[in-house]
Coordinates of all heavy atoms in Angstrom, one line a residue:
H859 N -76.2 52.6 -52.2 CA -75.4 51.6 -53.0 C -74.0 52.2 -53.4 O -73.0 51.5 -53.2 CB -76.2 51.2 -54.2 CG -75.5 50.2 -55.1 ND1 -75.2 48.9 -54.7 CD2 -74.9 50.3 -56.3 CE1 -74.6 48.3 -55.6 NE2 -74.3 49.1 -56.6
T860 N -73.9 53.4 -53.8 CA -72.7 54.0 -54.2 C -71.8 54.2 -53.0 O -70.6 53.9 -53.1 CB -72.9 55.4 -54.9 OG1 -73.8 55.3 -56.0 CG2 -71.6 56.0 -55.3
E861 N -72.3 54.6 -51.9 CA -71.5 54.8 -50.7 C -71.0 53.4 -50.2 O -69.8 53.3 -49.8 CB -72.3 55.4 -49.6 CG -71.5 55.7 -48.3 CD -72.3 56.4 -47.2 OE1 -73.3 57.0 -47.5 OE2 -71.8 56.3 -46.1
H862 N -71.8 52.4 -50.3 CA -71.4 51.0 -49.9 C -70.2 50.6 -50.8 O -69.2 50.0 -50.3 CB -72.5 50.0 -50.0 CG -72.1 48.6 -49.7 ND1 -71.8 48.2 -48.5 CD2 -72.0 47.6 -50.6 CE1 -71.4 46.9 -48.5 NE2 -71.6 46.5 -49.8
K863 N -70.3 50.8 -52.1 CA -69.3 50.4 -53.1 C -68.0 51.2 -52.8 O -66.9 50.6 -52.8 CB -69.7 50.7 -54.5 CG -68.8 50.2 -55.5 CD -68.8 48.7 -55.6 CE -68.0 48.2 -56.8 NZ -67.7 46.8 -56.8
L864 N -68.1 52.4 -52.5 CA -66.9 53.3 -52.1 C -66.2 52.7 -50.9 O -65.0 52.6 -50.8 CB -67.3 54.7 -51.9 CG -66.2 55.7 -51.7 CD1 -65.3 55.8 -52.9 CD2 -66.8 57.1 -51.5
L865 N -67.0 52.4 -49.8 CA -66.4 51.9 -48.6 C -65.8 50.5 -48.8 O -64.7 50.2 -48.3 CB -67.5 51.7 -47.5 CG -68.0 53.1 -47.0 CD1 -69.3 52.8 -46.1 CD2 -67.0 53.8 -46.2
E866 N -66.4 49.7 -49.7 CA -65.8 48.4 -50.0 C -64.5 48.6 -50.8 O -63.5 47.9 -50.5 CB -66.8 47.6 -50.9 CG -66.3 46.2 -51.2 CD -66.0 45.2 -50.1 OE1 -66.5 45.5 -48.9 OE2 -65.4 44.2 -50.3
N867 N -64.4 49.5 -51.7 CA -63.2 49.8 -52.4 C -62.1 50.3 -51.5 O -60.9 49.9 -51.6 CB -63.4 50.8 -53.6 CG -64.2 50.1 -54.7 OD1 -64.2 48.9 -54.9 ND2 -64.7 51.0 -55.6
E868 N -62.4 51.1 -50.6 CA -61.5 51.6 -49.6 C -60.9 50.5 -48.7 O -59.7 50.4 -48.4 CB -62.1 52.7 -48.7 CG -61.3 53.1 -47.5 CD -60.0 53.7 -47.8 OE1 -59.8 54.3 -48.9 OE2 -59.1 53.7 -46.9
R869 N -61.8 49.6 -48.3 CA -61.4 48.4 -47.5 C -60.4 47.5 -48.3 O -59.4 47.1 -47.7 CB -62.6 47.6 -47.1 CG -62.3 46.4 -46.1 CD -63.4 45.5 -45.9 NE -63.9 44.8 -47.1 CZ -63.2 43.8 -47.7 NH1 -62.1 43.4 -47.2 NH2 -63.6 43.2 -48.8
I870 N -60.7 47.3 -49.5 CA -59.8 46.5 -50.4 C -58.5 47.1 -50.5 O -57.4 46.5 -50.4 CB -60.5 46.2 -51.7 CG1 -61.7 45.3 -51.5 CG2 -59.5 45.6 -52.7 CD1 -62.6 45.1 -52.8
Y871 N -58.5 48.4 -50.9 CA -57.2 49.1 -51.0 C -56.4 49.1 -49.7 O -55.2 48.8 -49.7 CB -57.5 50.6 -51.4 CG -56.3 51.5 -51.2 CD1 -55.2 51.5 -52.1 CD2 -56.2 52.3 -50.0 CE1 -54.1 52.2 -51.9 CE2 -55.0 53.0 -49.8 CZ -54.0 53.0 -50.7 OH -52.9 53.8 -50.5
R872 N -57.0 49.3 -48.6 CA -56.4 49.3 -47.3 C -55.7 48.0 -47.0 O -54.6 47.9 -46.6 CB -57.4 49.8 -46.2 CG -56.8 49.8 -44.8 CD -55.7 50.8 -44.5 NE -55.8 52.1 -45.1 CZ -54.7 52.9 -45.2 NH1 -53.6 52.5 -44.8 NH2 -54.9 54.1 -45.8
E873 N -56.5 46.9 -47.3 CA -55.9 45.6 -47.1 C -54.7 45.3 -48.0 O -53.7 44.7 -47.5 CB -57.0 44.5 -47.3 CG -58.0 44.4 -46.2 CD -59.1 43.3 -46.5 OE1 -58.9 42.5 -47.4 OE2 -60.1 43.3 -45.7
L874 N -54.8 45.7 -49.3 CA -53.7 45.5 -50.2 C -52.5 46.3 -49.7 O -51.4 45.8 -49.7 CB -54.1 45.9 -51.6 CG -55.1 45.0 -52.3 CD1 -55.6 45.7 -53.6 CD2 -54.4 43.7 -52.7
F875 N -52.7 47.5 -49.3 CA -51.6 48.4 -48.9 C -51.0 47.8 -47.6 O -49.8 47.6 -47.5 CB -52.2 49.8 -48.6 CG -51.1 50.8 -48.2 CD1 -50.4 51.4 -49.2 CD2 -50.9 51.1 -46.9 CE1 -49.4 52.4 -48.8 CE2 -50.0 52.0 -46.5 CZ -49.2 52.7 -47.5
E876 N -51.8 47.6 -46.6 CA -51.3 47.1 -45.3 C -50.6 45.7 -45.3 O -49.6 45.5 -44.6 CB -52.4 47.2 -44.2 CG -52.9 48.6 -43.9 CD -51.8 49.5 -43.3 OE1 -50.9 49.0 -42.7 OE2 -52.0 50.7 -43.4
D877 N -51.2 44.8 -46.1 CA -50.8 43.4 -46.1 C -49.8 43.1 -47.2 O -49.4 41.9 -47.3 CB -52.0 42.5 -46.2 CG -52.9 42.7 -45.0 OD1 -52.5 43.1 -43.9 OD2 -54.1 42.3 -45.1
A878 N -49.4 44.1 -48.0 CA -48.4 43.8 -49.0 C -47.1 43.3 -48.5 O -46.6 43.8 -47.5 CB -48.2 45.0 -49.9
P879 N -46.5 42.3 -49.1 CA -45.2 41.7 -48.6 C -44.1 42.7 -48.9 O -43.0 42.5 -48.4 CB -45.1 40.4 -49.3 CG -45.9 40.5 -50.5 CD -47.1 41.5 -50.2
C880 N -44.3 43.6 -49.8 CA -43.3 44.6 -50.2 C -43.6 45.9 -49.5 O -44.7 46.2 -49.1 CB -43.2 44.7 -51.7 SG -44.7 45.3 -52.4
G881 N -42.6 46.7 -49.4 CA -42.8 48.0 -48.8 C -43.6 48.9 -49.7 O -43.4 49.0 -50.9
C882 N -44.6 49.6 -49.0 CA -45.4 50.6 -49.7 C -45.6 51.8 -48.9 O -45.6 51.7 -47.7 CB -46.8 50.0 -49.9 SG -46.9 48.6 -51.0
Q883 N -45.5 53.0 -49.5 CA -45.8 54.2 -48.8 C -46.4 55.2 -49.8 O -46.3 55.1 -51.0 CB -44.4 54.8 -48.3 CG -43.5 55.4 -49.3 CD -42.6 54.4 -50.0 OE1 -42.3 53.4 -49.4 NE2 -42.3 54.6 -51.3
T884 N -47.1 56.2 -49.2 CA -47.6 57.3 -49.9 C -46.8 58.5 -49.4 O -46.6 58.6 -48.2 CB -49.1 57.5 -49.8 OG1 -49.5 57.5 -48.4 CG2 -49.9 56.4 -50.5
I885 N -46.4 59.4 -50.3 CA -45.6 60.5 -50.0 C -46.1 61.8 -50.6 O -46.6 61.7 -51.7 CB -44.1 60.2 -50.5 CG1 -43.6 59.0 -49.9 CG2 -43.2 61.4 -50.3 CD1 -42.2 58.6 -50.4
S886 N -46.1 62.8 -49.9 CA -46.6 64.1 -50.4 C -45.7 64.6 -51.5 O -44.6 64.1 -51.7 CB -46.6 65.2 -49.2 OG -45.3 65.5 -48.8
K887 N -46.1 65.7 -52.2 CA -45.3 66.3 -53.3 C -44.0 66.7 -52.8 O -43.0 66.7 -53.6 CB -46.1 67.4 -53.9 CG -47.3 67.0 -54.7 CD -47.9 68.2 -55.4 CE -49.1 67.7 -56.2 NZ -49.9 68.8 -56.8
D888 N -43.9 67.2 -51.5 CA -42.6 67.6 -51.0 C -41.8 66.5 -50.3 O -40.8 66.7 -49.7 CB -42.7 68.8 -50.1 CG -43.8 68.8 -49.1 OD1 -44.8 68.0 -49.3 OD2 -43.8 69.5 -48.1
G889 N -42.3 65.2 -50.5 CA -41.5 64.1 -50.0 C -41.8 63.6 -48.6 O -41.1 62.7 -48.2
V890 N -42.7 64.2 -47.9 CA -43.0 63.8 -46.5 C -44.0 62.5 -46.6 O -44.9 62.5 -47.4 CB -43.7 64.9 -45.8 CG1 -44.0 64.5 -44.3 CG2 -42.7 66.1 -45.7
F891 N -43.7 61.6 -45.7 CA -44.5 60.4 -45.6 C -46.0 60.8 -45.2 O -46.2 61.5 -44.3 CB -44.0 59.4 -44.5 CG -42.8 58.7 -45.0 CD1 -41.5 59.1 -44.7 CD2 -42.9 57.5 -45.7 CE1 -40.4 58.4 -45.1 CE2 -41.8 56.8 -46.1 CZ -40.5 57.2 -45.8
I892 N -46.9 60.2 -45.9 CA -48.3 60.4 -45.6 C -48.8 59.1 -45.0 O -49.6 59.1 -44.0 CB -49.2 60.7 -46.9 CG1 -48.8 62.0 -47.5 CG2 -50.7 60.6 -46.6 CD1 -49.4 62.3 -48.8
D893 N -48.4 57.9 -45.5 CA -48.8 56.6 -44.9 C -47.7 55.7 -45.3 O -46.9 55.9 -46.2 CB -50.1 56.2 -45.5 CG -50.8 55.1 -44.7 OD1 -50.2 54.7 -43.6 OD2 -51.9 54.7 -45.1
I894 N -47.6 54.6 -44.5 CA -46.5 53.6 -44.8 C -47.0 52.2 -44.2 O -47.6 52.2 -43.2 CB -45.2 54.0 -44.1 CG1 -44.1 53.0 -44.4 CG2 -45.3 54.3 -42.6 CD1 -42.7 53.6 -44.1
N895 N -46.7 51.2 -44.9 CA -47.2 49.9 -44.5 C -46.1 49.2 -43.5 O -45.0 49.7 -43.4 CB -47.6 48.9 -45.6 CG -46.5 48.4 -46.4 OD1 -45.3 48.8 -46.3 ND2 -46.8 47.5 -47.3
L896 N -46.5 48.1 -42.9 CA -45.6 47.4 -42.0 C -44.4 46.9 -42.6 O -43.3 47.1 -42.0 CB -46.4 46.3 -41.3 CG -45.6 45.5 -40.2 CD1 -45.2 46.5 -39.1 CD2 -46.5 44.4 -39.6
A897 N -44.4 46.4 -43.8 CA -43.2 45.9 -44.5 C -42.2 47.0 -44.7 O -41.0 46.8 -44.4 CB -43.6 45.2 -45.8
E898 N -42.7 48.1 -45.1 CA -41.7 49.3 -45.3 C -41.2 49.8 -44.0 O -40.0 50.1 -43.9 CB -42.5 50.4 -46.0 CG -41.6 51.6 -46.4 CD -40.8 51.3 -47.7 OE1 -40.8 50.3 -48.3 OE2 -40.1 52.3 -48.1
Q899 N -42.0 49.8 -42.9 CA -41.5 50.2 -41.6 C -40.4 49.3 -41.2 O -39.3 49.7 -40.7 CB -42.6 50.1 -40.6 CG -43.7 51.1 -40.8 CD -44.9 50.9 -39.9 OE1 -44.7 50.9 -38.6 NE2 -46.0 50.6 -40.4
E900 N -40.6 48.0 -41.4 CA -39.5 47.0 -41.0 C -38.3 47.2 -41.8 O -37.2 47.1 -41.3 CB -40.1 45.6 -41.1 CG -41.1 45.3 -40.1 CD -41.9 43.9 -40.3 OE1 -41.6 43.3 -41.3 OE2 -42.6 43.6 -39.4
M901 N -38.4 47.4 -43.1 CA -37.2 47.6 -44.0 C -36.4 48.9 -43.6 O -35.2 48.9 -43.6 CB -37.7 47.8 -45.4 CG -38.0 46.5 -46.1 SD -38.2 46.6 -47.8 CE -40.0 47.1 -47.9
L902 N -37.2 49.9 -43.2 CA -36.5 51.2 -42.8 C -36.1 51.3 -41.4 O -35.2 52.1 -41.0 CB -37.4 52.4 -43.2 CG -37.8 52.6 -44.6 CD1 -38.8 53.7 -44.8 CD2 -36.5 52.9 -45.4
G903 N -36.7 50.4 -40.5 CA -36.3 50.4 -39.1 C -37.0 51.5 -38.3 O -36.4 52.0 -37.3
Y904 N -38.1 52.0 -38.8 CA -38.9 53.1 -38.1 C -40.3 52.6 -37.9 O -40.8 51.8 -38.7 CB -38.9 54.3 -39.0 CG -37.6 55.1 -39.0 CD1 -36.6 54.8 -39.9 CD2 -37.3 56.1 -38.1 CE1 -35.4 55.5 -40.0 CE2 -36.2 56.8 -38.2 CZ -35.2 56.5 -39.1 OH -34.0 57.2 -39.2
K905 N -41.0 53.2 -37.0 CA -42.4 53.0 -36.8 C -43.2 54.1 -37.5 O -42.6 55.2 -37.7 CB -42.8 53.0 -35.3 CG -42.1 51.9 -34.5 CD -42.6 52.0 -33.1 CE -41.8 50.9 -32.3 NZ -42.6 50.1 -31.5
K906 N -44.4 53.8 -37.9 CA -45.2 54.7 -38.6 C -45.3 56.1 -37.9 O -45.2 57.1 -38.6 CB -46.7 54.1 -38.7 CG -47.6 55.0 -39.5 CD -49.0 54.4 -39.6 CE -49.2 53.5 -40.8 NZ -50.5 53.1 -41.1
E907 N -45.4 56.1 -36.6 CA -45.5 57.3 -35.9 C -44.3 58.2 -36.0 O -44.3 59.4 -35.8 CB -45.8 57.0 -34.4 CG -47.1 56.3 -34.1 CD -47.0 54.8 -34.4 OE1 -45.9 54.2 -34.3 OE2 -48.1 54.2 -34.7
E908 N -43.1 57.6 -36.2 CA -41.9 58.3 -36.4 C -41.7 58.9 -37.8 O -40.9 59.8 -38.0 CB -40.7 57.4 -36.1 CG -40.6 56.8 -34.7 CD -39.5 55.8 -34.6 OE1 -39.7 54.7 -35.1 OE2 -38.5 56.1 -34.0
L909 N -42.5 58.4 -38.7 CA -42.3 58.9 -40.1 C -43.4 59.8 -40.6 O -43.2 60.8 -41.2 CB -42.2 57.6 -41.0 CG -41.0 56.7 -40.8 CD1 -41.2 55.4 -41.6 CD2 -39.7 57.4 -41.1
V910 N -44.7 59.4 -40.4 CA -45.8 60.1 -41.0 C -45.9 61.5 -40.6 O -45.9 61.8 -39.4 CB -47.1 59.3 -40.8 CG1 -48.3 60.1 -41.3 CG2 -47.1 58.0 -41.4
G911 N -45.8 62.4 -41.6 CA -45.9 63.9 -41.3 C -44.6 64.5 -40.7 O -44.5 65.7 -40.5
K912 N -43.5 63.6 -40.5 CA -42.3 64.1 -39.9 C -41.1 63.9 -40.7 O -40.1 64.7 -40.6 CB -42.1 63.4 -38.6 CG -43.3 63.6 -37.6 CD -43.1 62.8 -36.3 CE -44.3 63.0 -35.4 NZ -44.3 62.0 -34.4
K913 N -41.0 62.9 -41.5 CA -39.7 62.6 -42.2 C -40.0 62.5 -43.7 O -41.1 62.2 -44.2 CB -39.2 61.2 -41.8 CG -38.8 61.1 -40.4 CD -37.3 61.2 -40.3 CE -36.8 61.0 -38.8 NZ -35.6 61.6 -38.5
K914 N -38.9 62.8 -44.4 CA -39.0 62.7 -45.9 C -38.2 61.4 -46.2 O -37.2 61.0 -45.6 CB -38.3 63.8 -46.6 CG -39.0 65.1 -46.4 CD -38.4 66.2 -47.2 CE -39.2 67.5 -47.1 NZ -38.7 68.6 -47.9
L915 N -38.7 60.7 -47.3 CA -38.0 59.5 -47.7 C -36.5 59.7 -48.0 O -35.7 58.9 -47.6 CB -38.7 58.9 -48.9 CG -38.1 57.6 -49.5 CD1 -38.1 56.5 -48.5 CD2 -38.8 57.2 -50.8
E916 N -36.2 60.8 -48.6 CA -34.8 61.1 -49.0 C -33.9 61.2 -47.7 O -32.7 61.0 -47.8 CB -34.7 62.3 -49.8 CG -35.1 63.6 -49.1 CD -35.0 64.8 -50.0 OE1 -35.4 64.7 -51.2 OE2 -34.6 65.9 -49.6
E917 N -34.5 61.6 -46.6 CA -33.7 61.7 -45.4 C -33.2 60.3 -44.9 O -32.2 60.2 -44.1 CB -34.5 62.4 -44.3 CG -34.9 63.8 -44.5 CD -35.9 64.4 -43.5 OE1 -36.2 63.6 -42.5 OE2 -36.3 65.5 -43.7
L918 N -33.9 59.3 -45.3 CA -33.6 57.9 -44.8 C -32.7 57.1 -45.7 O -32.2 56.0 -45.4 CB -34.9 57.2 -44.6 CG -35.9 57.9 -43.7 CD1 -37.2 57.0 -43.7 CD2 -35.4 58.1 -42.3
I919 N -32.4 57.7 -46.9 CA -31.5 57.0 -47.9 C -30.1 57.5 -47.7 O -29.8 58.7 -47.8 CB -32.1 57.2 -49.3 CG1 -33.5 56.8 -49.4 CG2 -31.2 56.5 -50.3 CD1 -34.2 57.2 -50.7
P920 N -29.2 56.5 -47.5 CA -27.8 56.9 -47.5 C -27.4 57.6 -48.8 O -27.8 57.3 -49.9 CB -27.0 55.6 -47.3 CG -28.0 54.6 -46.8 CD -29.4 55.1 -47.3
S921 N -26.5 58.6 -48.7 CA -26.2 59.5 -49.8 C -25.6 58.7 -51.0 O -25.9 59.0 -52.1 CB -25.2 60.6 -49.4 OG -24.0 60.0 -48.9
Q922 N -24.8 57.6 -50.7 CA -24.3 56.9 -51.8 C -25.4 56.1 -52.6 O -25.2 55.8 -53.8 CB -23.2 55.9 -51.4 CG -23.6 54.8 -50.5 CD -23.5 55.2 -49.0 OE1 -23.5 56.3 -48.6 NE2 -23.5 54.2 -48.2
E923 N -26.5 55.9 -52.0 CA -27.6 55.2 -52.7 C -28.6 56.1 -53.3 O -29.4 55.7 -54.2 CB -28.3 54.3 -51.7 CG -27.5 53.1 -51.1 CD -28.2 52.3 -50.1 OE1 -29.4 52.2 -50.1 OE2 -27.4 51.6 -49.4
K924 N -28.5 57.4 -53.0 CA -29.5 58.3 -53.6 C -29.3 58.4 -55.1 O -30.3 58.4 -55.8 CB -29.3 59.7 -53.0 CG -29.9 59.8 -51.6 CD -29.8 61.2 -51.1 CE -30.4 61.2 -49.6 NZ -30.3 62.5 -49.0
N925 N -28.1 58.4 -55.6 CA -27.9 58.5 -57.1 C -28.5 57.3 -57.8 O -29.1 57.4 -58.8 CB -26.4 58.6 -57.4 CG -25.9 60.0 -57.1 OD1 -26.7 61.0 -57.1 ND2 -24.6 60.1 -56.9
I926 N -28.3 56.1 -57.2 CA -28.8 54.8 -57.8 C -30.3 54.9 -57.8 O -30.9 54.6 -58.8 CB -28.2 53.6 -57.0 CG1 -26.7 53.5 -57.1 CG2 -28.9 52.3 -57.5 CD1 -26.1 52.5 -56.2
L927 N -30.9 55.2 -56.7 CA -32.3 55.2 -56.6 C -32.9 56.3 -57.5 O -33.9 56.0 -58.2 CB -32.8 55.6 -55.1 CG -34.3 55.6 -54.9 CD1 -34.9 54.2 -55.2 CD2 -34.5 56.0 -53.4
S928 N -32.3 57.4 -57.6 CA -32.8 58.5 -58.5 C -32.8 58.0 -60.0 O -33.7 58.2 -60.7 CB -31.8 59.7 -58.4 OG -32.4 60.8 -58.9
K929 N -31.7 57.3 -60.4 CA -31.6 56.8 -61.8 C -32.7 55.7 -62.0 O -33.3 55.7 -63.1 CB -30.2 56.2 -62.0 CG -29.2 57.2 -62.2 CD -27.8 56.6 -62.3 CE -26.7 57.7 -62.3 NZ -25.4 57.1 -62.4
Q930 N -32.9 54.9 -61.0 CA -34.0 53.8 -61.1 C -35.3 54.5 -61.3 O -36.2 54.0 -62.1 CB -33.9 52.9 -60.0 CG -32.7 52.0 -60.0 CD -32.6 51.1 -58.7 OE1 -33.3 51.4 -57.7 NE2 -31.8 50.1 -58.8
M931 N -35.6 55.5 -60.5 CA -36.9 56.1 -60.5 C -37.1 56.8 -61.8 O -38.2 56.8 -62.4 CB -37.1 57.1 -59.3 CG -37.1 56.4 -58.0 SD -37.1 57.5 -56.6 CE -38.8 58.1 -56.7
I932 N -36.1 57.5 -62.4 CA -36.2 58.2 -63.7 C -36.4 57.1 -64.8 O -37.3 57.3 -65.6 CB -34.9 59.0 -63.9 CG1 -34.9 60.2 -63.0 CG2 -34.9 59.4 -65.4 CD1 -33.6 61.0 -63.0
S933 N -35.7 56.0 -64.7 CA -35.9 55.0 -65.7 C -37.3 54.4 -65.6 O -37.9 54.2 -66.6 CB -34.8 53.9 -65.4 OG -35.1 52.8 -66.3
H934 N -37.8 54.1 -64.4 CA -39.1 53.6 -64.2 C -40.2 54.6 -64.8 O -41.1 54.2 -65.4 CB -39.4 53.3 -62.8 CG -40.8 52.7 -62.5 ND1 -41.2 51.5 -63.0 CD2 -41.8 53.3 -62.0 CE1 -42.4 51.3 -62.6 NE2 -42.9 52.4 -62.0
A935 N -40.0 55.8 -64.5 CA -41.0 56.9 -64.9 C -41.0 56.9 -66.4 O -42.0 57.0 -67.1 CB -40.6 58.2 -64.3
T936 N -39.8 56.8 -67.0 CA -39.7 56.9 -68.5 C -40.3 55.7 -69.1 O -41.1 55.8 -70.1 CB -38.2 57.0 -68.9 OG1 -37.6 58.1 -68.3 CG2 -38.1 57.1 -70.4
D937 N -40.1 54.5 -68.5 CA -40.7 53.3 -69.0 C -42.2 53.3 -68.9 O -42.9 52.8 -69.8 CB -40.2 52.0 -68.2 CG -38.7 51.7 -68.5 OD1 -38.2 52.3 -69.5 OD2 -38.1 51.0 -67.7
S938 N -42.7 53.9 -67.8 CA -44.2 54.0 -67.6 C -44.8 54.9 -68.6 O -46.0 54.7 -69.0 CB -44.4 54.5 -66.2 OG -43.9 53.6 -65.3
V939 N -44.1 55.9 -69.1 CA -44.7 56.9 -70.0 C -44.8 56.3 -71.4 O -45.7 56.5 -72.2 CB -43.9 58.2 -70.0 CG1 -44.3 59.1 -71.1 CG2 -44.0 58.8 -68.7
L940 N -43.8 55.4 -71.8 CA -43.8 54.9 -73.1 C -44.8 53.9 -73.4 O -45.5 53.3 -72.9 CB -42.4 54.2 -73.4 CG -41.2 55.1 -73.3 CD1 -39.9 54.3 -73.4 CD2 -41.3 56.2 -74.3

């Protein structure tokens, strides 16, 4: 029963991740892509095979946008903690 529930939860998570209309990715502590959904691939213009285990998210962001993104991430992290 426990194994069945675990498999069902994994299936639900996978469907949510893969079918999300917004871009979703999982990234390692050092910034390398672990997984990425189709919406994010389309936004970035890369295929999963080109990113997973090979590229870091920061390598794909134009330098002028890195500061904006960094500020947004810090703001979001601060809001989440409060």
Side-chain angles (χ1 to χ4, degrees):
H859 179 70
T860 303
E861 185 177 339
H862 175 71
K863 186 71 173 165
L864 185 60
L865 291 171
E866 180 65 12
N867 287 342
E868 169 63 22
R869 184 191 64 75
I870 291 169
Y871 164 78
R872 179 60 44 199
E873 284 180 13
L874 287 170
F875 183 85
E876 293 297 335
D877 297 337
C880 58
C882 297
Q883 73 276 328
T884 52
I885 298 174
S886 69
K887 288 181 181 179
D888 46 339
V890 177
F891 285 94
I892 295 171
D893 200 0
I894 185 168
N895 73 351
L896 184 58
E898 184 82 356
Q899 292 172 62
E900 290 173 354
M901 284 190 272
L902 296 174
Y904 287 86
K905 295 183 184 228
K906 182 183 268 191
E907 300 77 27
E908 297 174 286
L909 297 171
V910 173
K912 299 175 184 169
K913 295 258 187 207
K914 293 184 177 186
L915 179 59
E916 68 182 37
E917 295 171 3
L918 306 177
I919 301 170
S921 58
Q922 66 269 22
E923 293 179 21
K924 284 184 183 178
N925 288 335
I926 296 168
L927 182 62
S928 196
K929 288 177 186 175
Q930 289 175 343
M931 291 174 78
I932 290 169
S933 174
H934 178 71
T936 304
D937 291 344
S938 297
V939 172
L940 299 175

